[in-house]
Amino acid sequence: MNTFSLARAADVAGAADELARNPAARIIAGGTNLVDLMKEKVSRPDRLVDINRLPLKRVEALPGGGLRIGALVTNADVAYHPEIEARYPLLSRAILAGASPQLRNMATTGGNLLQRTRCYYFYDTATPCNKREPGTGCPAMTGYNRIHAILGASEHCIATHPSDMCVAMAALEAVIQVEGTGGPRSIPFAEFHRLPGDTPEVDTTLKPDEVITSVDLPALGFAKNYAYVKVRDRSSYAFALVSVAAALELDGGRIAQARLALGGVAHKPWRVPEAEGVLRGEVPTEDLFRRAAEVLLQGAVGRGHNDFKLKLAPRAIVRALSQAAAMGATS
């Protein structure tokens, strides 16, 4: 690990000022991803800005009926919060499907949003990687790419986003609150993470001097009809090969509202509103779910070792939607 200095921010504005003065500085809270990256010399910040003393550790009600989750609320506290369990069980289920209890006790909401890819080549500093060192190449294109993207990839990067929490938040249409030296702003979840394009080293639309302060959940939580399906290599502590967050609202036996988001298949949680449009107004059936899966996966391309995802993903989507609809039938 390289040497670095440490600053303890007294408030959000102070943290933003630190980032503005030193573009190589990085925010640290739980450190469950950043410290690993520093140990492996993938990330080499010369200054860390500790934000653990900031008042961002609360889950509180919003005027419109939603909930605000502070950026420093741990993943465990979000997953087991009574309001989250009762009103947003999809989010609770997704978080509990990720990592280990020890990691969930340390990892924070803001840090999870900024979690970096688990691409083998990204972590191996002996190999080229456009995400780690822009312009050096992407060995995953023709190398061992079993965990890599089938959607939204570019000729520069086929890495996937690793978070479970973010897949559920994408389906719930959460909004991320940030604050920088230019003031606060809100970022819709769909606009926060980005596809690799020709700048795969940039994961999000967060500005260099901005600090995540909270995530807002809208009032609609899909508490009756939801499912989080995660397919992984082992039943504990493994990243998703494919994951699906499915949320439905049923009215008179028909689907009034539908949300679908995929993990493990793209550089960001993958959502296609047209696929949800296929479901709205229809009676839930397996054939309908297959049609939605076809729309959601349009353009999917395998790279060899990850070709199995082309068959796995539609099956996982149908399974998740079937589980969500069945919950509605028995409630």
Side-chain angles (χ1 to χ4, degrees):
M1 186 180 289
N2 292 346
T3 58
F4 58 87
S5 60
L6 179 68
R8 287 198 169 92
D11 50 36
V12 174
D17 284 341
E18 283 278 356
L19 296 178
R21 285 198 299 269
N22 184 356
R26 292 291 179 271
I27 294 287
I28 188 163
T32 56
N33 189 206
L34 178 59
V35 173
D36 280 349
L37 293 169
M38 293 173 66
K39 287 179 179 176
E40 299 293 335
K41 298 188 185 301
V42 174
S43 182
R44 303 182 184 193
D46 60 14
R47 190 167 178 80
L48 295 183
V49 182
D50 182 353
I51 62 169
N52 281 296
R53 296 180 179 179
L54 303 189
L56 305 174
K57 299 180 180 179
R58 295 182 58 193
V59 176
E60 53 193 334
L62 290 169
L67 282 185
R68 171 163 291 173
I69 303 171
L72 291 176
V73 182
T74 68
N75 283 182
D77 284 345
V78 174
Y80 292 118
H81 192 283
E83 287 287 308
I84 301 291
E85 286 185 307
R87 298 176 55 196
Y88 307 93
L90 173 62
L91 177 57
S92 177
R93 187 71 59 87
I95 291 174
L96 293 176
S100 65
Q102 292 87 347
L103 284 168
R104 292 196 294 268
N105 283 335
M106 286 298 296
T108 62
T109 299
N112 199 317
L113 291 167
L114 299 176
Q115 191 177 176
R116 305 212 70 189
T117 182
R118 298 290 164 165
C119 173
Y120 325 116
Y121 303 99
F122 176 70
Y123 273 82
D124 183 358
T125 56
T127 67
C129 172
N130 285 329
K131 178 176 277 297
R132 176 171 29 81
E133 295 183 45
T136 58
C138 178
M141 293 285 180
T142 55
Y144 189 58
N145 49 36
R146 182 171 180 273
I147 65 171
H148 289 77
I150 58 173
L151 289 161
S154 75
E155 60 181 311
H156 302 288
C157 182
I158 57 172
T160 53
H161 186 73
S163 171
D164 291 290
M165 182 194 82
C166 290
V167 180
M169 286 186 170
L172 292 170
E173 294 188 342
V175 177
I176 299 165
Q177 305 296 337
V178 306
E179 185 171 336
T181 54
R185 70 180 177 118
S186 303
I187 308 176
F189 206 89
E191 298 174 13
F192 185 76
H193 296 101
R194 52 184 304 284
L195 294 177
D198 57 3
T199 54
E201 72 277 14
V202 183
D203 289 338
T204 72
T205 56
L206 197 67
K207 295 177 181 176
D209 67 338
E210 287 182 328
V211 179
I212 297 170
T213 56
S214 64
V215 178
D216 291 354
L217 301 177
L220 180 58
F222 295 95
K224 290 184 178 178
N225 309 89
Y226 67 91
Y228 188 73
V229 170
K230 179 177 181 178
V231 184
R232 46 190 161 179
D233 284 327
R234 59 176 188 265
S235 60
S236 65
Y237 197 18
F239 293 95
L241 297 169
V242 172
S243 63
V244 185
L248 302 174
E249 267 205 341
L250 299 180
D251 184 6
R254 293 184 178 273
I255 298 171
Q257 286 282 350
R259 303 277 178 76
L260 268 177
L262 297 186
V265 298
H267 203 253
K268 60 184 288 185
W270 190 257
R271 192 168 162 225
V272 177
E274 289 79 7
E276 297 161 6
V278 169
L279 298 169
R280 280 195 291 272
E282 302 293 335
V283 175
T285 65
E286 194 167 309
D287 283 344
L288 177 69
F289 298 156
R290 287 197 190 96
R291 293 203 299 275
E294 289 174 3
V295 176
L296 186 56
L297 294 167
Q298 278 182 356
V301 176
R303 303 277 177 172
H305 297 285
N306 67 349
D307 287 349
F308 72 96
K309 291 187 178 183
L310 299 173
K311 293 183 178 178
L312 179 62
R315 292 172 182 168
I317 294 166
V318 171
R319 181 177 158 196
L321 287 168
S322 298
Q323 288 181 2
M327 289 180 70
T330 57
S331 62

